[in-house]
Amino acid sequence: MKDYFRRERISFKYNPILWLARLLFVFLMIVAGRMQWFIILFGSAFSVGFVQSTEMEHMLPLSEKEVIGKKKMKIRNVWLRYLLIGMVGRVYIYFAGKNGWYGFHDHVSRKLLLIEAAFFILLMVYAYELMLDAISEARENGGVRTLLPKAVYKIFIQTIPHVIFFTYAIVIMMSAQKAKGLLKEGPQWMHAAILLGAAVLLVINVLIERSKLGTYDYRPAEE
């Protein structure tokens, strides 16, 4: 934790404009309402990729366990930051809709709190997986992760949740200014159950991928 804050101080010291970027990011996450998902995923894709450090730090001898530990620590702290700010944003948008405050509130954030909570849980699990993927050095044949993995079980715990997120959850949230489309089909708990089911599958995938984290530089190919 101390190393994370040390790196943050270095980043802001040598890049003061990051203060403005961070404040803008926090503001958008709080008031963006149904577009909060896009801001969190956009930030997740870049937050763990940049680490301010010195040349001397790259010369420090670190074991594989220490390298992996630093990566996990980075993800944990960034994810917790998004979680806390995201929760503040959802609470603010709820009260903004009731009291007429500034913010992009909608029907889901005001009326369908069960769906709202389920979507936020799925969003945060997906954000964690996105950050985990960003630091992972394991790729098939050195390429990017494929949409349809070779392992059959991966289709259920990885591909299906991704499909649900982008073709079901996002459709619900983006059409949530009033109850229409998918929101008219079935009770609120049914939609929430589908979102939470996808989140559970994605958690399983995250746990598997997290256990497989490793460093792959200068390792001879297996024969």
Side-chain angles (χ1 to χ4, degrees):
M1 184 66 73
K2 291 182 179 179
D3 182 66
Y4 172 77
F5 286 110
R6 179 185 64 81
R7 291 178 181 273
E8 287 286 291
R9 287 195 298 270
I10 294 175
S11 297
F12 285 105
K13 179 179 179 180
Y14 292 101
N15 301 278
I17 195 173
L18 288 178
W19 282 108
L20 179 61
R22 181 65 60 82
L23 290 174
L24 177 62
F25 179 78
V26 171
F27 173 77
L28 290 176
M29 279 192 63
I30 292 176
V31 304
R34 56 181 170 166
M35 288 303 298
Q36 187 192 72
W37 69 269
F38 178 79
I39 298 171
I40 290 179
L41 294 188
F42 180 83
S44 299
F46 295 97
S47 292
V48 298
F50 173 77
V51 177
Q52 184 75 34
S53 59
T54 64
E55 182 178 355
M56 185 61 68
E57 285 180 306
H58 293 285
M59 301 175 64
L60 295 176
L62 296 175
S63 66
E64 182 180 43
K65 183 177 180 180
E66 289 173 322
V67 171
I68 295 173
K70 282 180 174 293
K71 290 183 176 183
K72 289 181 178 179
M73 180 271 295
K74 176 71 173 179
I75 289 181
R76 181 181 68 249
N77 292 329
V78 172
W79 185 82
L80 285 174
R81 185 174 70 205
Y82 287 166
L83 176 65
L84 294 176
I85 300 174
M87 290 175 64
V88 170
R90 301 323 303 168
V91 171
Y92 174 82
I93 286 298
Y94 172 76
F95 286 105
K98 286 186 170 295
N99 299 289
W101 301 342
Y102 177 79
F104 300 95
H105 46 81
D106 50 50
H107 180 76
V108 170
S109 63
R110 297 193 309 269
K111 304 292 185 180
L112 306 178
L113 299 184
L114 191 59
I115 294 178
E116 174 86 351
F119 176 77
F120 185 75
I121 292 172
L122 175 59
L123 170 64
M124 294 311 303
V125 177
Y126 188 84
Y128 190 95
E129 194 215 36
L130 192 64
M131 288 187 282
L132 192 66
D133 188 56
I135 68 167
S136 176
E137 299 178 20
R139 295 290 187 275
E140 292 185 11
N141 300 321
V144 297
R145 178 180 293 177
T146 58
L147 180 61
L148 293 175
K150 294 180 180 179
V152 175
Y153 76 93
K154 276 286 189 177
I155 295 177
F156 291 96
I157 66 174
Q158 176 183 315
T159 303
I160 290 179
H162 286 197
V163 172
I164 290 176
F165 184 83
F166 285 105
T167 65
Y168 180 79
I170 297 303
V171 169
I172 287 179
M173 299 307 294
M174 295 306 293
S175 63
Q177 194 56 40
K178 58 181 180 179
K180 60 181 181 179
L182 290 175
L183 289 177
K184 288 186 176 181
E185 304 297 330
Q188 179 182 177
W189 67 263
M190 182 189 74
H191 297 290
I194 294 174
L195 298 178
L196 290 176
V200 170
L201 292 176
L202 208 55
V203 166
I204 297 173
N205 184 60
V206 164
L207 293 176
I208 293 175
E209 292 298 319
R210 195 172 185 271
S211 67
K212 292 163 52 178
L213 274 181
T215 56
Y216 292 82
D217 291 341
Y218 309 112
R219 289 191 177 186
E222 296 183 1
E223 297 182 358

